[in-house]
Amino acid sequence: MASGMYVCPMDPEVRQDHPGDCPICGMPLEPEFVAAGQPEDTSELDDMTVRFWLGAVMALPVVFLAMGHMAPSRLSHASSGWAQFFLTVPVVFWAGWPLLQRAARSLLTWHLNMFTLIGMGVIAAFGFSAVQLFAPELFPAAMRDQFYFESAAVITVLVLLGQMLELRARSRTGEAIRKLLNLAPAIARRIDSDGEHDVPVSDIHPGDLLRVRPGERVPVDGIVTEGESHLDEGMLTGEPEPVRKSVGASVATGTVNGSGSFLMRAEHVGSETVLARIVQMVASAQRSRAPIQRLADRVAGLFFPAVVAVAALAFVVWMSVGPEPRLAFALVSAISVLVIACPCALGLATPMSVMVGVGRGAQCGVLIKDAAALEALEKVDTVVVDKTGTLTEGKPEVTTLLPVDGVAENELLAAAASVEQGSEHPLASAILRKAQARKVALLPVTNFHAVAGAGVEGRVGEATLLAGTATFIKSGLQGKESASLEGQTTVFVSKDGKLLGVLGISDPIKPSTPQAVQALHALGLKVVMLTGDNAATARRVAGSLGIDDFAAEMRPEQKHAHVVELQKRGRKVVMAGDGINDAPALAQADVGIAMSTGTDVAMESASITLLHGDLRGIVRALALSRAVMRNIRMNLFFAFVYNLLGVPLAAGVLYPAFGWLLSPMIAGAAMSMSSVSVIANALRLRRWRG
């Protein structure tokens, strides 16, 4: 599973065989695949964390010194300027060095992005202040001693904070893959000519004969050649009932063997196993998402040349026709344009709304892991859901008691529960729970015997009890009685060869599910159910809920393929599930939503987790997405209104008519005001009710 290729999480088309930074966006490249046992590389996150905290510590006194005119201070203005300079230099040129490097690379490659604007704003504020400090005589007396070191320092620290939080979120990307890899055992028991030996799974080759003992995980994909058992394939199918495996049956890596022992012939090993393919699909789908920050980058790519052109034009015009001292006025105008165009508000527009929206969502039971999901969720038109644990409770329950004439329900239940006492099968557990709920007394059973894949038998006093399939007890039901059990798992019960009745066992639908499906339909969304359960059960659940379409007996790769097919038809898909078997589809969908009651792997593969396991959370998540995206668009509007109005003023277009010239100090104030308006607008999301 190891891979020597590195890819960019923001621009997946960028791939190379060694670590480094993306030439397009400047972000660090990540390994294409995570190898089993490979430790997570947190070096960049650790480095960015240190830079942020040290930068914040040094930037704080700069801010206080810059506010000296608002509070008494023993320092002269010149002394304060020198102190700000020496504190800001390490903030900008050490803590912010990675940001400046990315800005420089974006200019060299002409792939303009947010780092381009950040670098421009920081250097403009710092450079203008440094010139003021070292050569104040270049400026008119009224414009001297105006420092913007705090702007350079604060911009740098805020961007470092954003980078640190983003890296921390991205570090979780590999956790789902590592958990999947951990499902595969490291050791297998191989049968050689000289006996049985425990060997590393990496030494297993197709054709090797292996023994799988009770309770062990299957080491590789293969075929049963001797013996039989029941395997828990919940990681693949999402269904709780063990599956009988006998000679000729296929078994998959990571599935858990029951109480039997069997021999198997290895067929697919390494990257060819079902588990490995699931890992590859999850990793590929996770990388295919475009982060929401690309919106700001695209805007910045258009905005940057315009700002530079206006600043250059202002400098040339003031140098040509401006009043004396022309150089001073030209510098003031050009720098004012660059300062007012600093992307503080633009950089805050998306993350502030996302931060507040994500926090509000968590309060409403919608945990959003991937900010890009908010953008994608707004556009979805198809909801794909798993059945077990998503639409249903995920735990089998006795839902029908159908005794024959002359037999009471509790008599049937007592017989079934008594003989099932010695069984560990999930269906037996459901029967025993039903008996306990009805307070039915159980009878002592002797000579208990379980027949794999068929049923159980035992003696109660002098009577023989059987519980299992219709074939096992050589009886069955027909007509109306049989129809009433359609879509349920049936357990027939007999006493001394006489049929007592049948129990119907099914996974009950969550009480909130019908309302959730109705709400999704009301929003104009198509609802599709994909399940590993049988067709009869799937048809019953889909019909009772009014689901638009369904597919049954689906394995993980088939669910993944179904989502891909919907996307090829132009559908925007949100996938909701709770099992390991849902992980590839969750990662492939435009938005993956997991139930918190499900597996860790499903939650790691999904972008959104419903904390209460309630499908109505999808409706809340859709409403939250629309609110956040509307808020982001408003923020971007505020950010650009300030720039569109402020840049011409800073360039001096009103000076000939009114004598107005926007100084860098006013430009800095306008820049701050745009940030304040963006933050205030984003904070409105705290009052969102859904």
Side-chain angles (χ1 to χ4, degrees):
M1 294 303 297
S3 171
M5 298 302 295
Y6 291 80
V7 298
C8 176
M10 309 239 331
D11 299 279
E13 68 275 10
V14 177
R15 302 173 76 249
Q16 64 185 38
D17 59 1
H18 58 277
D21 292 337
C22 174
I24 297 178
C25 69
M27 297 301 296
L29 302 180
E30 298 178 346
E32 188 171 19
F33 292 114
V34 180
Q38 177 181 331
E40 182 182 0
D41 182 9
T42 61
S43 57
E44 187 183 8
L45 173 58
D46 296 339
D47 177 68
M48 200 64 71
T49 301
V50 171
R51 291 178 184 274
F52 163 72
W53 284 111
L54 292 182
V57 168
M58 289 183 285
L60 191 60
V62 176
V63 174
F64 281 113
L65 289 170
M67 297 169 61
H69 63 285
M70 299 175 62
S73 174
R74 296 182 180 180
L75 290 177
S76 66
H77 191 71
S79 299
S80 174
W82 283 105
Q84 292 179 52
F85 171 78
F86 285 115
L87 287 168
T88 305
V89 165
V91 175
V92 172
F93 295 102
W94 177 78
W97 185 246
L99 311 179
L100 298 179
Q101 282 184 310
R102 292 170 186 174
R105 186 182 297 111
S106 70
L107 287 171
L108 291 174
T109 60
W110 206 243
H111 289 296
L112 307 178
N113 51 45
M114 281 299 300
F115 292 111
T116 316
L117 288 174
I118 290 165
M120 178 185 69
V122 169
I123 293 300
F126 180 85
F128 177 77
S129 303
V131 172
Q132 284 271 26
L133 184 64
F134 283 93
E137 66 277 2
L138 294 177
F139 298 89
M143 296 184 177
R144 292 176 184 174
D145 298 328
Q146 296 176 359
F147 305 127
Y148 303 97
F149 290 119
E150 83 283 357
S151 296
V154 170
I155 292 169
T156 300
V157 170
L158 287 176
V159 175
L160 286 172
L161 173 61
Q163 291 298 295
M164 182 183 70
L165 296 177
E166 182 177 349
L167 285 169
R168 185 170 296 169
R170 282 170 44 212
S171 70
R172 301 191 186 101
T173 303
E175 290 182 11
I177 297 175
R178 288 186 175 87
K179 288 178 180 177
L180 283 171
L181 289 170
N182 289 337
L183 293 175
I187 301 295
R189 191 163 186 82
R190 186 171 63 191
I191 301 176
D192 299 322
S193 57
D194 59 344
E196 299 183 7
H197 306 279
D198 288 337
V199 299
V201 170
S202 57
D203 291 344
I204 300 299
H205 300 90
D208 286 352
L209 192 62
L210 310 173
R211 180 179 298 279
V212 181
R213 292 167 291 190
E216 291 183 336
R217 289 186 180 273
V218 176
V220 296
D221 293 359
I223 300 293
V224 177
T225 59
E226 181 182 322
E228 68 175 32
S229 185
H230 281 75
L231 266 64
D232 180 357
E233 294 188 331
M235 58 164 284
L236 295 177
T237 65
E239 301 305 317
E241 298 178 19
V243 180
R244 183 190 178 197
K245 298 291 182 179
S246 56
V247 175
S250 61
V251 292
T253 306
T255 54
V256 182
N257 185 25
S259 58
S261 176
F262 62 89
L263 301 183
M264 61 172 287
R265 183 180 66 253
E267 285 203 330
H268 302 293
V269 302
S271 62
E272 299 301 317
T273 65
V274 171
L275 182 61
R277 292 200 300 272
I278 291 175
V279 170
Q280 292 169 357
M281 284 188 289
V282 171
S284 176
Q286 284 179 331
R287 288 195 310 272
S288 67
R289 293 195 187 104
I292 199 171
Q293 284 81 4
R294 298 185 78 175
L295 173 64
D297 280 350
R298 289 194 297 269
V299 173
L302 299 174
F303 185 57
F304 174 79
V307 171
V308 173
V310 171
L313 179 62
F315 184 86
V316 171
V317 170
W318 279 99
M319 283 295 294
S320 301
V321 298
E324 294 293 345
R326 293 182 178 180
L327 176 59
F329 279 105
L331 282 173
V332 167
S333 297
I335 296 300
S336 295
V337 170
L338 295 177
V339 169
I340 204 169
C342 179
C344 273
L346 181 61
L348 288 171
T350 294
M352 274 301 300
S353 296
V354 168
M355 181 178 67
V356 179
V358 166
R360 184 62 186 139
Q363 293 175 338
C364 298
V366 180
L367 183 62
I368 300 166
K369 185 182 71 174
D370 183 359
L374 287 169
E375 183 179 25
L377 193 59
E378 183 192 32
K379 304 172 185 177
V380 299
D381 52 24
T382 302
V383 178
V384 175
V385 293
D386 174 47
K387 178 183 73 69
T388 305
T390 303
L391 300 176
T392 65
E393 297 287 358
K395 185 164 62 175
E397 297 291 344
V398 176
T399 49
T400 302
L401 288 167
L402 199 60
V404 299
D405 292 339
V407 177
E409 285 189 356
N410 280 1
E411 181 182 353
L412 169 64
L413 182 59
S418 296
V419 75
E420 292 282 11
Q421 288 179 84
S423 174
E424 297 180 353
H425 196 283
L427 297 184
S429 300
I431 293 172
L432 290 169
R433 285 196 301 271
K434 186 70 171 180
Q436 184 179 14
R438 285 202 174 194
K439 299 182 179 179
V440 172
L442 304 185
L443 303 173
V445 175
T446 60
N447 298 331
F448 174 83
H449 177 62
V451 180
V456 295
E457 64 176 299
R459 292 186 65 82
V460 176
E462 298 299 322
T464 299
L465 291 179
L466 298 180
T469 65
T471 304
F472 178 61
I473 67 170
K474 300 181 176 59
S475 183
L477 296 177
Q478 297 178 348
K480 185 187 305 182
E481 295 173 324
S482 179
S484 68
L485 293 165
E486 183 179 0
Q488 301 181 58
T489 300
T490 54
V491 176
F492 292 82
V493 184
S494 70
K495 182 178 181 179
D496 287 336
K498 179 183 177 181
L499 180 67
L500 297 180
V502 62
L503 287 75
I505 300 178
S506 62
D507 189 1
I509 294 172
K510 292 179 180 179
S512 61
T513 298
Q515 180 185 351
V517 173
Q518 292 175 7
L520 292 171
H521 281 148
L523 292 174
L525 301 174
K526 178 180 180 181
V527 182
V528 178
M529 181 181 74
L530 304 181
T531 178
D533 209 343
N534 63 75
T537 301
R539 186 178 299 106
R540 177 179 61 84
V541 172
S544 65
L545 293 175
I547 288 175
D548 302 298
D549 193 11
F550 74 91
E553 301 176 7
M554 301 284 283
R555 294 179 71 84
E557 59 270 26
Q558 293 172 317
K559 289 187 177 184
H560 175 270
H562 198 99
V563 171
V564 171
E565 180 60 30
L566 287 171
Q567 290 172 326
K568 287 181 178 178
R569 296 180 202 164
R571 312 291 296 191
K572 298 296 182 182
V573 180
V574 56
M575 167 72 187
D578 73 330
I580 293 172
N581 61 306
D582 300 316
L586 286 169
Q588 175 62 41
D590 296 276
V591 181
I593 298 182
M595 306 289 121
S596 63
T597 51
T599 65
D600 289 343
V601 174
M603 287 185 280
E604 291 295 340
S605 299
S607 301
I608 296 174
T609 298
L610 304 183
L611 296 179
H612 306 305
D614 186 343
L615 202 62
R616 288 175 297 184
I618 295 180
V619 181
R620 289 192 292 271
L622 286 164
L624 178 62
S625 167
R626 294 171 182 177
V628 171
M629 291 308 299
R630 184 166 57 248
N631 194 270
I632 288 174
R633 294 187 184 101
M634 292 175 66
N635 281 348
L636 291 173
F637 172 78
F638 287 143
F640 280 101
V641 162
Y642 277 101
N643 281 315
L644 290 176
L645 295 178
V647 168
L649 291 175
V653 295
L654 297 182
Y655 186 83
F658 302 99
W660 294 348
L661 181 62
L662 192 65
S663 72
M665 181 174 64
I666 302 300
M671 178 190 67
S672 300
M673 185 60 67
S674 64
S675 299
V676 170
S677 64
V678 163
I679 293 172
N681 185 56
L683 291 176
R684 291 192 308 111
L685 288 171
R686 293 187 300 179
R687 299 191 297 271
W688 178 81
R689 297 294 180 186

